[in-house]
Amino acid sequence: MILVKYAVVLYDGMADYPVPALGGKTPMMLAKKPLFDSLAQRGEVGLVRTVAEGLTPGSDVANLSVMGYDPKKYYTGRSPLEAVSMGVDLAETDVAFRCNLVTLSDEADYAQKTMVDYCAGDISSEEAAEIIKTVQEHFGGEAFDFHPGVSYRHCMVWHRGKLELGHMTPPHDISGRVVGEYLSHHPDAARLIAMMEESYDLLKAHPVNLARIAAGKRPANSIWLWGQGSKPMLPSFEATYGVKGSVISAVDLLKGIGKCAGMDTPDVPGATGYIDTNFKGKAQAAVNALASGKDFVYIHIEAPDECGHRNEPENKVRAIELIDEQVLAILLPALEQYDDYKVMILPDHPTPIVTRTHAGDPVPYMIYHKNKEKSSWVDSINEESAKATGNFIEYGPGIMQKFLTED
């Protein structure tokens, strides 16, 4: 019996629109990615719609889709998936929220403040834990509870809470904008908006923030609540596809999806979710998972997405190159020891530099099968060369079935 191993390398937010600062090219077009391109030349290249019409283009919806779970059937909100990863036990009547620590400008009226930084200058998890502790002491204990996560990403649980709250805007969608028009005016959201406003007065002189300001760093001077949802339920990935898997990621969202699907989610020291992440450590974690008996690894790399949100075109190009140099360069030689293997590489969604937020356009994909190589007639994979192949997968969740079962 031939032993086949499967690896997905998910470049979060890699796809883009032409970037003026890059001479009208996209980061995929400019990045030096010889290993990725070599696989693309010998595999199948095309476009896949990971975000169905009518759905919000987020990493939650898009990664569920890539993993083969139809978001229209299984998606219950972003934060509940993160809560699972954080070990938060949600009751059926709980509503979980993403709680960002953000940097707002200092106007007296909260609605007149500007979203200076949706990630509070990449605040460390240790500093953030101190701030969330203060937030929990002040607001938590009855209807609300706050749980610390990684860097700026945390969780709030509203016990017996409301789901229909109007639009609770993701903070990365409004970088540099005055926040007032993006605050929900739904009556049931009033308690949450009031808590966000009060948090500014609570946190502006917090010792952690005073130390950050003194060090020339941005303060985490407000909480920002969004991404609400109820307890998620996903069918087992192994029961669905017949393979045992691991999800390798720095972020709670992907770990939560993995745990809900019954997959292992090993921690990788130094995995940050940004361009300074431990790329090699992620690759080695995947290699170790396969060697320990897993059939399937899903390596999620957040860095391109963060560079898109931050309007960092050169860093986005470099993030794509680093994945080639430090992830594929470790993963691919390790796969060669097996009788056969398949690799799928794709982004979950575009995060265009020019908009600094997610988009729902179809994204390029590449599937390589060691024992069944074929010419794609593509020299270098990018948004345009993938489109030119004419291969198009309309139903995003179908790509996992294709990857795991088709020759």
Side-chain angles (χ1 to χ4, degrees):
M1 181 177 178
I2 294 179
L3 179 63
V4 185
K5 297 289 188 177
Y6 303 89
V8 175
V9 187
L10 194 293
Y11 296 49
D12 199 303
M14 172 172 61
D16 214 306
Y17 302 155
V19 182
L22 299 178
K25 304 290 186 181
T26 70
M28 281 190 80
M29 292 175 180
L30 285 183
K32 296 178 176 64
K33 48 185 187 348
L35 295 177
F36 187 4
D37 284 339
S38 176
L39 292 178
Q41 292 160 11
R42 297 172 287 137
E44 177 180 318
V45 173
L47 293 178
V48 56
R49 186 181 300 282
T50 57
V51 180
E53 297 289 349
L55 296 182
T56 301
S59 293
D60 42 15
V61 165
N63 277 279
L64 280 172
S65 184
V66 174
M67 285 194 191
Y69 295 104
D70 190 336
K72 290 186 175 180
K73 182 176 181 180
Y74 294 112
Y75 181 63
T76 63
R78 178 190 186 105
S79 184
L81 294 165
E82 297 175 327
V84 168
S85 173
M86 295 163 62
V88 178
D89 186 18
L90 295 176
E92 297 293 335
T93 56
D94 285 341
V95 179
F97 291 74
R98 161 70 82 82
C99 176
N100 273 48
L101 292 179
V102 303
T103 305
L104 299 180
S105 58
D106 60 1
E107 286 78 7
D109 183 353
Y110 194 89
Q112 295 302 312
K113 297 180 186 299
T114 295
M115 181 63 67
V116 175
D117 192 345
Y118 68 89
C119 65
D122 266 336
I123 187 170
S124 72
S125 298
E126 294 74 21
E127 292 171 304
E130 289 298 312
I131 290 178
I132 292 298
K133 179 182 178 182
T134 298
V135 170
Q136 170 65 13
E137 289 171 350
H138 189 79
F139 295 112
E142 294 185 7
F144 305 104
D145 278 304
F146 293 80
H147 302 269
V150 176
S151 184
Y152 63 91
R153 313 172 187 93
H154 309 281
C155 177
M156 185 200 78
V157 177
W158 185 4
H159 305 294
R160 299 187 179 278
K162 304 289 187 179
L163 276 169
E164 299 302 323
L165 300 168
H167 185 52
M168 302 293 287
T169 307
H172 53 256
D173 282 358
I174 55 172
S175 295
R177 301 181 192 177
V178 176
V179 304
E181 65 180 288
Y182 302 103
L183 299 173
S184 174
H185 297 291
H186 193 286
D188 287 335
R191 294 176 71 184
L192 307 182
I193 302 304
M195 192 155 45
M196 289 162 54
E197 293 177 356
E198 188 177 342
S199 76
Y200 182 87
D201 293 326
L202 175 69
L203 298 178
K204 63 183 179 182
H206 192 284
V208 167
N209 283 329
L210 294 179
R212 288 181 63 79
I213 292 169
K217 299 177 181 178
R218 287 173 170 169
N221 57 19
S222 181
I223 63 171
W224 190 275
L225 303 171
W226 62 286
Q228 70 272 17
S230 56
K231 187 174 183 177
M233 295 291 291
L234 295 180
S236 158
F237 191 83
E238 182 178 357
T240 303
Y241 294 107
V243 293
K244 296 179 180 179
S246 289
V247 174
I248 317 295
S249 179
V251 299
D252 283 318
L253 171 62
L254 270 293
K255 289 184 175 183
I257 294 175
K259 288 182 177 180
C260 286
M263 291 189 274
D264 289 345
T265 58
D267 291 327
V268 178
T272 66
Y274 187 51
I275 196 169
D276 62 354
T277 197
N278 183 3
F279 291 103
K280 292 180 179 179
K282 284 189 171 184
Q284 193 58 53
V287 170
N288 293 346
L290 294 172
S292 70
K294 299 300 182 188
D295 311 295
F296 170 92
V297 290
Y298 191 97
I299 310 169
H300 170 265
I301 302 167
E302 179 83 356
D305 180 67
E306 291 286 354
C307 295
H309 286 309
R310 301 178 196 210
N311 189 26
E312 297 175 355
E314 292 82 8
N315 274 350
K316 189 168 183 180
V317 172
R318 186 61 187 141
I320 297 169
E321 294 175 341
L322 284 168
I323 298 169
D324 209 84
E325 295 168 10
Q326 299 186 23
V327 176
L328 298 186
I330 291 173
L331 176 67
L332 298 180
L335 286 170
E336 286 295 335
Q337 68 184 289
Y338 300 107
D339 299 327
D340 195 9
Y341 67 85
K342 297 180 74 175
V343 177
M344 179 163 68
I345 302 178
L346 73 169
D348 49 353
H349 53 68
T351 306
I353 294 287
V354 295
T355 63
R356 300 181 65 175
T357 190
H358 300 157
D361 306 64
V363 297
Y365 75 87
M366 184 289 306
I367 296 176
Y368 171 80
H369 190 171
K370 174 188 174 183
N371 286 354
K372 297 196 175 178
E373 291 189 356
K374 57 186 177 182
S375 177
S376 66
W377 310 107
V378 170
D379 290 330
S380 179
I381 183 171
N382 55 59
E383 298 84 356
E384 291 302 317
S385 64
K387 182 179 180 180
T389 67
N391 295 324
F392 181 62
I393 301 172
E394 174 67 35
Y395 179 65
I399 197 168
M400 187 57 71
Q401 183 76 19
K402 174 184 178 68
F403 175 58
L404 292 176
T405 64
E406 291 185 12
D407 289 334

